[in-house]
Amino acid sequence: MLWGGRFDEKLNSLALEFSSSYDVDKTIVIEDLMVSKVHAAMLAKVGLISPDEANQIKSGLEQIESEWNSGAWHPGSSEFEDIHSAVEARLYEIIGKPAGKLHTGRSRNDQVITGFRLWTKKAITSLLDAVRELQKTMVSVADNHTETIISGYTHVQRAQPVSLAFHLLAYVEMLNRDAKRLEFVLSETDKSPLGSGALAGSTLPLDRQYTSDNLGFSEPCRNALDAVSDRDFALDFLNAVSVGMMHLSRLSEELVLWSTSEWSFIKLADSLTTGSSLMPQKKNPDMAELIRGKMGRISGNYIALLTIMKGLPLSYNRDLQEDKEPSFDSFKTYFECLHLMTMMIASMKPDTNKFENELKGDFSLATDLADWLVLKGIPFREAHSIVGHVVKLAEDSGKKFDQLTLEEIKTVNSIFDESALECFNIKTALWRKKTFGSPNPEIVKEEISYWNSLLSQK
């Protein structure tokens, strides 16, 4: 224990097991050791411990790190209430009395949150790499499908033709916002609480700038009271992960639909699908379904920490021990989901002719015909009504758009001429788009070049 002098009895064994965070915060043991090494070096710098004591402490901490990595030292929650007390106890065993000087000018409050911030910075960097890899994969696949026509949907009803490339680039945009959110959280996390003590700093001449610099932070936290109780960075992290997972969940839903017999648009790799224990013919998109399902736990983790924080007075409260498990779980889940999604997108096989055949003469070309009328000087609301009558004419005749003759559409309005029939040609539908941000293949190719250039710098 790192405390106990004013107590007559040891902590009850059940209370120790209940209150121990060891099994969770052992995740940040490397960060904890790093914090202690820098803290010891700072103590020697300002003359609070001797250089020899600092060297002994550093040597002992390096031995602990080696033992941890090799598996030679792995204490349990039945022995220690957290990883920090376990490290200090082991340090005593290795170097003896000098270990007692390591905690000079330091509280577990600032020690733990410093390690947690270091871990969060590292986690964000890993997630950014994974997000960028998924973006690059999507852009690469998109480059092969700028003219692969698919149906765009609103209300899960066919709306207008787009391309698979255009569709994938929509997710590239989402992922870019995910990356920007993570970059923001990284900047918010990049402040060092070390030296804040329990809540009010220290009477000792600690050099907080030194520890901040040597731990790789941009600056020290400016207010000790806030520094030890602030979990906004963790909330921002969990929020960023939640939004990112929501995007993966939406994409997963589309992959599930596209791979059904009803859609029959893509085939997912055998290595990323499963079968049925009863039905031999089944090929289930389980990875996509699991990503979609895990969104629940990710959003739950965010709500859990938000709920913990809402009633806490300044500064530290033991409730904050519950801050790390949601972050650790959300990181691991999101990181794995990003990699699995990258694999699914890279290996999926689209049927490039599927929608072109289905959309031939489809009513989803109706807006193109309305635009044709607008170019002839017809007000859009009137054009909308005219095309509605053309649709009804086709339905009543049991025909598709491209099966209507010029004579038939002229019965709706005499303004129609031969060029209007080109609006019913699905092969030219994408090329007719004029605006920036549309699925015109030339515009999409420019967007692919834009993303290739941008992502090559990441």
Side-chain angles (χ1 to χ4, degrees):
M1 293 293 179
L2 301 181
W3 49 271
R6 56 102 57 219
F7 291 84
D8 293 327
E9 299 179 33
K10 288 185 176 181
L11 185 65
N12 177 277
S13 58
L14 179 59
L16 173 60
E17 183 178 355
F18 175 74
S19 63
S20 174
S21 64
Y22 173 84
D23 287 334
V24 173
D25 58 31
K26 65 184 181 182
T27 300
I28 59 171
V29 63
I30 301 302
E31 286 74 23
D32 186 73
L33 291 166
M34 185 189 309
V35 170
S36 291
K37 289 176 196 175
V38 171
H39 184 68
M42 182 274 295
L43 292 176
K45 175 180 179 291
V46 300
L48 290 172
I49 63 175
S50 70
D52 181 61
E53 289 169 328
N55 286 333
Q56 289 184 64
I57 291 171
K58 179 184 178 184
S59 177
L61 292 170
E62 288 175 345
Q63 180 177 330
I64 292 171
E65 183 172 355
S66 176
E67 290 174 350
W68 179 271
N69 289 334
S70 68
W73 177 72
H74 275 277
S77 56
S78 60
E79 302 173 70
F80 299 101
E81 60 181 338
D82 56 32
I83 190 63
H84 323 291
S85 54
V87 167
E88 188 162 327
R90 179 62 183 139
L91 188 62
Y92 260 104
E93 293 173 354
I94 295 171
I95 67 172
K97 192 174 181 180
K101 294 191 175 184
L102 174 59
H103 213 57
T104 302
R106 186 175 73 174
S107 165
R108 269 188 303 181
N109 292 358
D110 62 333
Q111 176 185 354
V112 172
I113 193 60
T114 303
F116 187 22
R117 281 179 178 261
L118 286 173
W119 176 89
T120 303
K121 286 176 61 179
K122 182 174 67 176
I124 291 171
T125 301
S126 296
L127 289 176
L128 281 169
D129 288 343
V131 168
R132 298 306 189 194
E133 189 59 33
L134 178 52
Q135 283 184 292
K136 291 175 183 176
T137 299
M138 286 185 154
V139 172
S140 177
V141 174
D143 199 22
N144 295 320
H145 293 284
T146 58
E147 296 185 60
T148 298
I149 294 175
I150 67 173
S151 179
Y153 292 83
T154 60
H155 309 278
V156 202
Q157 304 291 319
R158 285 182 177 173
Q160 291 181 278
V162 296
S163 67
L164 177 57
F166 184 70
H167 196 99
L168 291 176
L169 290 181
Y171 281 100
V172 173
E173 294 280 352
M174 293 185 208
L175 289 164
N176 211 51
R177 295 194 294 273
D178 296 336
K180 287 181 178 179
R181 268 183 287 271
L182 288 169
E183 288 168 349
F184 167 78
V185 181
L186 184 59
S187 68
E188 288 297 297
T189 308
D190 196 23
K191 298 174 178 61
S192 173
L194 194 60
S196 297
L199 75 162
S202 177
T203 59
L204 300 173
L206 308 179
D207 189 338
R208 293 194 61 215
Q209 190 64 54
Y210 175 89
T211 52
S212 176
D213 291 344
N214 282 272
L215 286 170
F217 288 104
S218 62
E219 61 180 327
C221 296
R222 302 185 71 87
N223 183 287
L225 191 64
D226 177 61
V228 297
S229 60
D230 170 30
R231 296 300 185 275
D232 289 359
F233 74 93
L235 284 168
D236 286 338
F237 175 73
L238 289 172
N239 177 66
V241 170
S242 295
V243 175
M245 272 297 294
M246 177 269 291
H247 289 152
L248 295 188
S249 180
R250 293 180 70 183
L251 179 55
S252 294
E253 172 70 5
E254 303 210 83
L255 295 182
V256 169
L257 290 174
W258 287 352
S259 64
T260 61
S261 297
E262 288 71 21
W263 247 268
S264 294
F265 177 50
I266 63 167
K267 290 184 178 179
L268 295 171
D270 287 355
S271 60
L272 296 170
T273 53
T274 65
S276 165
S277 61
L278 177 66
M279 298 167 283
Q281 84 281 7
K282 292 298 293 298
K283 182 178 179 180
N284 301 322
D286 281 15
M287 300 309 110
E289 291 173 351
L290 284 168
I291 292 173
R292 185 179 60 188
K294 287 179 184 295
M295 173 59 202
R297 68 191 286 175
I298 295 296
S299 58
N301 285 338
Y302 172 60
I303 295 299
L305 184 55
L306 191 66
T307 305
I308 289 167
M309 294 300 300
K310 77 171 187 65
L312 297 186
L314 290 173
S315 64
Y316 181 81
N317 298 269
R318 191 67 181 270
D319 313 48
L320 292 174
Q321 178 175 295
E322 296 295 308
D323 62 351
K324 287 175 284 299
E325 189 169 11
S327 293
F328 296 163
D329 178 65
S330 290
F331 163 73
K332 181 177 183 293
T333 302
Y334 185 39
F335 186 72
E336 290 174 350
C337 289
L338 283 165
H339 281 288
L340 281 166
M341 184 58 76
T342 300
M343 294 165 65
M344 281 193 287
I345 296 297
S347 59
M348 72 177 184
K349 298 189 183 307
D351 179 348
T352 57
N353 297 315
K354 159 76 176 178
F355 280 104
E356 183 173 325
N357 293 332
E358 284 195 9
L359 296 179
K360 188 174 181 293
D362 191 76
F363 294 154
S364 59
L365 296 166
T367 304
D368 288 16
L369 186 59
D371 288 344
W372 184 92
L373 288 167
V374 167
L375 291 173
K376 295 294 183 180
I378 304 295
F380 180 77
R381 281 298 164 213
E382 185 179 341
H384 189 285
S385 177
I386 292 170
V387 175
H389 284 91
V390 175
V391 171
K392 188 163 191 319
L393 170 66
E395 285 183 329
D396 291 346
S397 304
K399 293 182 177 182
K400 292 185 174 183
F401 265 167
D402 65 341
Q403 294 171 330
L404 293 173
T405 66
L406 178 58
E407 289 70 25
E408 285 175 314
I409 64 174
K410 272 184 169 294
T411 64
V412 175
N413 195 296
S414 61
I415 196 172
F416 289 120
D417 61 33
E418 194 72 31
S419 64
L421 298 178
E422 181 59 27
C423 295
F424 302 150
N425 185 353
I426 189 63
K427 289 183 178 293
T428 59
L430 301 181
W431 293 94
R432 289 196 294 270
K433 299 297 183 182
K434 305 296 184 186
T435 54
F436 175 76
S438 73
N440 183 301
E442 287 298 332
I443 295 173
V444 171
K445 287 175 183 176
E446 289 174 4
E447 283 299 291
I448 289 171
S449 295
Y450 165 81
W451 283 113
N452 279 329
S453 176
L454 183 67
L455 294 171
S456 67
Q457 302 168 27
K458 302 297 182 181

